[in-house]
Amino acid sequence: MTTLATGTDTLTRDALAVLQPGFDGTTAPDWVRRRLGEGLASVALFGRNVVSEDQVTALTAQLRAERDDLLVAIDEESGDVTRLDVRTGSSFPGNHALGAVDDPGLTRAVSRELGRRLAACGVNFDWAPSADVNANPDNPVIGVRSFGASSDLVARHTAAWVEGLQSTGVAACTKHFPGHGDTAVDSHHALPRIDVDAGTLYERELPPFRAAIAAGTRAIMSAHILVPALDPDRPGTLSHRVLTGLLREELGYQGLIVTDGMEMRAISGTYGLEHGVVLAIAAGADAICVGGGLCDEDTVLRLRDALVAAVRSGELPEERLADAAARVRELARWTARARGHAAATAPDPEIGLVAARRALTVTRAGAAAPVTAPVYVAQFEPARNIAVGDQTPWGVAAELRRLLPGTASGSFTGDTAGADALAVSDGRRIVAVVRDEHRHPWMRTALDTLLAARPDTVVVEMGLPGAAPRGAVHITTYGAARVCAVAAAEAVVAG
């Protein structure tokens, strides 16, 4: 690869403009500020960059001191995938809870309040919402991130979410095109394959993206998935047929196309990071998401140089790179023009809890005794996917301790989890908290053991509901956001 000296020529500036890198730290690094002066037009914030809203506001102000029309992106879906509330759990329920309520007006109000908070922090580009139809209940990476398993339901809530968010001047990025809902593999680890016919794809996966386009979504994120009915050779992110043929030409979409994280093994492990980035831009992507894992200046320079070298060698048409960079700058201009919309939006700080309470489903087995004394909370802890991350707390123990002082808790995993919880519960009534019970045989076994010994157990499902309700009381939250935990704890005490 040609190594370039720092420069400000048009080609180099365009190559920097299409990158959306992350970085380490809670203040703006010198290298990021320097590259902003050389053409970098976007940066991405992750959980590692967030301590508080005041700190994020100061960080974005530092960055905009170098470039006023900067895109500051974040992966803030609410619900299980949160960055703004990474240390506390989200103040808003996620998509599946909103889909369970099925009130588009509520979805619009929730995303509007989220957008107001993001804009107040100086964030103007959100890699959300997920428009994936959760056709496979065993999907290891989508699940409660989806509004549901019905195309029509997902479509109407995707449109409402986009409208609410963008009313505050924050650009929405609908994902993961052409639809990640029917996968059994997490693209963070390997390349998923969806073997459906074109008719099924058009009828099931595409309606939510059509709805997002009609609602004016400013960006769409590609999926690292192989769909042979569309392209038997390359995954969506690298496919000209998917990004240009289908999304641009057939669906008529003219906004920004952003890739999913390029360090994900579905791309980097198969094509290599640099070559994958060149292929993505050539296929029709306009912006390259990178920085979830690789977040250093060397990575940015390697990708910049790979794009410049590809243009010089003829592998990547210069006009394609220029077009991609122009789309990034146009979105940045839109957000700059829209700045201040959020200030005109009346705050509604309780809307997240209101929505979580409305989403709750409570099933009682006969005349279940009310919970009046401190309980033992047994949290059955599955491995988390990378999108959710392992920083964000979940479960109902903290909220139950607030309502029932003296409540104790523990986390358990494996086939002996039920017996282990019984052994330390000290005779207290047990509240068993599960997450996607239907996907984890050990969790079902553990709950079987627990319920056989203690049929008065209260079960709280905070993941995708797939198993039949069981326990003296069964509470479904449709997600593990903090507000979902608050609503569930209230329901436990209410009996």
Side-chain angles (χ1 to χ4, degrees):
M1 180 189 300
T2 303
T3 300
L4 302 176
T6 300
T8 56
D9 61 279
T10 299
L11 181 55
T12 301
R13 295 185 69 85
D14 285 350
L16 278 172
V18 302
L19 303 178
Q20 291 190 347
F23 54 87
D24 270 330
T26 55
T27 59
D30 289 343
W31 72 263
V32 172
R33 298 166 72 174
R34 184 168 60 253
R35 299 304 169 188
L36 290 174
E38 296 174 3
L40 189 66
S42 311
V43 295
L45 303 184
F46 295 87
R48 62 176 178 263
N49 304 119
V50 177
V51 173
S52 68
E53 292 187 27
D54 286 345
Q55 168 266 321
V56 173
T57 303
L59 169 59
T60 58
Q62 278 186 303
L63 292 164
R64 288 210 168 84
E66 307 297 329
R67 179 174 186 139
D68 186 59
D69 64 342
L70 177 68
L71 285 176
V72 180
I74 199 167
D75 192 5
E76 180 58 67
E77 299 177 13
S78 297
D80 289 29
V81 179
T82 181
R83 307 298 178 238
L84 203 58
D85 292 329
V86 66
R87 287 168 171 77
T88 61
S90 182
S91 302
F92 306 99
N95 285 3
H96 212 66
L98 295 172
V101 178
D102 195 12
D103 177 353
L106 179 66
T107 296
R108 193 175 294 108
V110 167
S111 65
R112 182 168 56 243
E113 180 62 16
L114 171 64
R116 191 192 65 78
R117 282 185 63 193
L118 289 172
C121 293
V123 177
N124 56 8
F125 187 25
D126 191 5
W127 293 327
S130 167
D132 305 298
V133 179
N134 200 55
N136 184 350
D138 291 327
N139 192 315
V141 69
I142 301 300
V144 294
R145 300 168 66 194
S146 167
F147 288 110
S150 160
S151 297
D152 290 343
L153 181 145
V154 174
R156 61 179 170 266
H157 286 277
T158 296
W161 211 99
V162 166
E163 291 164 356
L165 185 79
Q166 293 191 165
S167 71
T168 68
V170 177
C173 181
T174 305
K175 62 188 184 186
H176 305 81
F177 188 83
H180 210 311
D182 194 19
T183 60
V185 173
D186 185 344
S187 51
H188 291 89
H189 303 298
L191 178 62
R193 177 186 176 106
I194 299 181
D195 285 306
V196 298
D197 58 79
T200 299
L201 183 96
Y202 275 71
E203 292 173 12
R204 186 181 68 191
E205 313 293 349
L206 296 189
F209 292 99
R210 293 183 187 274
I213 293 168
T217 187
R218 291 285 166 174
I220 289 178
M221 178 177 282
S222 66
H224 304 331
I225 55 174
L226 186 67
V227 186
L230 297 177
D231 187 331
D233 300 315
R234 287 187 175 169
T237 294
L238 310 183
S239 170
H240 189 274
R241 165 72 184 106
V242 171
L243 298 187
T244 299
L246 177 57
L247 183 53
R248 288 275 187 232
E249 296 171 1
E250 288 189 44
L251 300 188
Y253 175 66
Q254 295 305 310
L256 191 77
I257 298 176
V258 187
T259 71
D260 206 344
M262 294 299 284
E263 313 101 304
M264 294 162 65
R265 297 299 296 169
I267 300 297
S268 64
T270 306
Y271 297 89
L273 183 61
E274 290 94 333
H275 188 49
V277 164
V278 171
L279 291 175
I281 297 295
D286 305 305
I288 300 296
C289 170
V290 65
L294 298 173
C295 52
D296 57 281
E297 183 176 21
D298 180 64
T299 297
V300 171
L301 297 183
R302 285 193 294 118
L303 298 184
R304 179 201 67 180
D305 289 359
L307 289 165
V308 170
V311 170
R312 289 178 175 170
S313 71
E315 181 183 6
L316 175 64
E318 185 170 2
E319 58 270 23
R320 171 76 274 270
L321 180 61
D323 173 64
R327 290 179 189 274
V328 172
R329 295 180 187 121
E330 172 52 35
L331 181 59
R333 286 191 292 270
W334 178 86
T335 61
R337 293 193 300 269
R339 198 177 303 162
H341 286 198
T345 303
D348 191 359
E350 295 300 313
I351 190 64
L353 184 55
V354 168
R357 287 169 174 158
R358 288 184 62 184
L360 214 65
T361 298
V362 181
T363 305
R364 294 176 176 84
V371 176
T372 57
V375 297
Y376 187 85
V377 179
Q379 183 164 305
F380 295 157
E381 184 86 46
R384 304 196 206 185
N385 66 56
I386 293 174
V388 173
D390 58 7
Q391 291 180 272
T392 308
W394 73 284
V396 301
E399 297 304 326
L400 282 175
R401 277 193 292 271
R402 181 176 58 83
L403 298 175
L404 298 170
T407 288
S409 64
S411 294
F412 306 89
T413 189
D415 289 341
T416 65
D420 295 341
L422 284 169
V424 296
S425 61
D426 196 27
R428 301 176 189 220
R429 190 162 180 186
I430 296 174
V431 176
V433 187
V434 296
R435 199 169 184 178
D436 296 341
E437 180 204 342
H438 69 285
R439 289 205 308 113
H440 303 286
W442 70 264
M443 198 178 291
R444 292 197 298 273
T445 299
L447 200 54
D448 289 343
T449 301
L450 195 58
L451 290 172
R454 299 290 296 276
D456 65 342
T457 294
V458 176
V459 179
V460 181
E461 170 61 86
M462 301 195 77
L464 189 73
R470 51 188 180 147
V473 180
H474 189 281
I475 300 168
T476 306
T477 64
Y478 303 95
R482 178 182 57 80
V483 287
C484 295
V486 172
E490 292 171 346
V492 169
V493 174

